[in-house]
Amino acid sequence: MKKFLALCAVLGILSLSSCNINIHGLNNNITLDCIKKNSETQTVDIKGIEKIKIDIDVGDCNIIVGDSSEAVINASCEYKAISEEKAQKAMDNTKLRCETQGDTLHIDFIDSETGKKIGNTKNSNLVNIITDIEVTLPDNLKSFDISTDVGDIEISDFSGSFDISSDVGNVTANNITVTDKSSFDADVGNIDCEITGLSEAELELKADVGDIDLSLGTVEKSEIAVDSNVGDIKLDTQGKNYEEISSKKDIVEQEKKIIVDGKCTIEMKADVGDIKVSK
């Protein structure tokens, strides 16, 4: 039953990003087949900036390390509409917004007419907007807050605290060091997290419908919680010894608690799925 309900939720969420729209319940499907595309690059001086907050609705987000003290934001956008005029208007009105507030760099997309953040799909205007971004940053930032409604998130080679979430999409973190309370969350999607270092940290990984793969490098005294509602959990300790503290398994649900190198406590729970630990 849990799996059935979860799959129903997936279908409901995915329908939000469909290019076919049912108007007034009359079963008249209108195809958004007029497409416009554009790209934009902004460079931002982030001297004194320690945090980044990115909030996009439909689109992928990739965060990489650069060798400059500036942030470089590359945006690639696509506009699907029922007419060329509507697609053009959406393209003209969609603006990449990069603002610094205190020690934080904020990035999102806004409608220049209203000044409001771009929504998921503008079905009232029969326009679908996809906003992909790649952000190149120096490696001295300490806090990352990134979210998408529909889209994948990938971040590599950073150290700090992380608050990463995608409603529909995969979350990938490569070669990161977690130094504070952090979370990686995918409502519908997989989480693949390669931790190079973990020090005095609290880490949560959660997927409602999706698999979670976690690989651990150097660990110090820390706590990790891994929770998948529908999906498998795989943990690789990369050769480090671990002790199983407790374990529970019934027909579909499985729980396991271990301690790695006598320092890092990991609690894992899969409501519908398997838990596998290797070293």
Side-chain angles (χ1 to χ4, degrees), residues 49-51 139-144 159-162 179-180:
I49 296 296
E50 296 183 355
K51 305 174 183 179
D139 62 3
N140 59 350
L141 269 72
K142 301 301 180 186
S143 178
F144 304 83
S159 173
S161 63
F162 303 86
T179 60
D180 207 338

Side-chain angles (χ1 to χ4, degrees), residues 132-149:
D132 295 332
I133 64 169
E134 179 183 84
V135 183
T136 304
L137 299 167
D139 62 3
N140 59 350
L141 269 72
K142 301 301 180 186
S143 178
F144 304 83
D145 184 344
I146 304 167
S147 64
T148 64
D149 283 350

Side-chain angles (χ1 to χ4, degrees), residues 1 8 18 39 156 173 176 236:
M1 177 59 72
C8 289
S18 172
S39 60
S156 304
I176 64 169
D236 182 0

Side-chain angles (χ1 to χ4, degrees), residues 251-270:
I251 297 176
V252 292
E253 186 177 48
Q254 187 173 358
E255 297 180 14
K256 192 181 292 289
K257 182 176 182 180
I258 67 172
I259 185 165
V260 178
D261 268 358
K263 303 172 185 178
C264 179
T265 302
I266 305 175
E267 295 189 49
M268 295 165 282
K269 180 180 179 182

Side-chain angles (χ1 to χ4, degrees), residues 36-89:
K36 294 282 186 179
K37 296 181 180 181
N38 68 349
S39 60
E40 179 182 355
T41 298
Q42 288 193 30
T43 301
V44 181
D45 183 0
I46 57 172
K47 183 179 180 180
I49 296 296
E50 296 183 355
K51 305 174 183 179
I52 184 168
K53 181 176 176 61
I54 301 173
D55 186 4
I56 58 178
D57 282 281
V58 180
D60 297 335
C61 181
N62 187 21
I63 313 297
I64 58 178
V65 171
D67 55 8
S68 170
S69 61
E70 297 177 315
V72 180
I73 303 96
N74 291 306
S76 299
C77 303
E78 182 177 270
Y79 312 86
K80 299 180 180 181
I82 62 169
S83 68
E84 185 173 348
E85 180 183 2
K86 285 185 175 293
Q88 183 67 48
K89 182 177 180 181

Side-chain angles (χ1 to χ4, degrees), residues 216 235-245 256-264 266 268 276-279:
L216 291 178
L235 170 65
D236 182 0
T237 68
Q238 294 196 52
K240 288 176 284 298
N241 294 322
Y242 65 90
E243 176 186 354
E244 187 174 291
I245 299 173
K256 192 181 292 289
K257 182 176 182 180
I258 67 172
I259 185 165
V260 178
D261 268 358
K263 303 172 185 178
C264 179
I266 305 175
M268 295 165 282
K276 294 181 180 179
V277 181
S278 62
K279 73 172 194 176

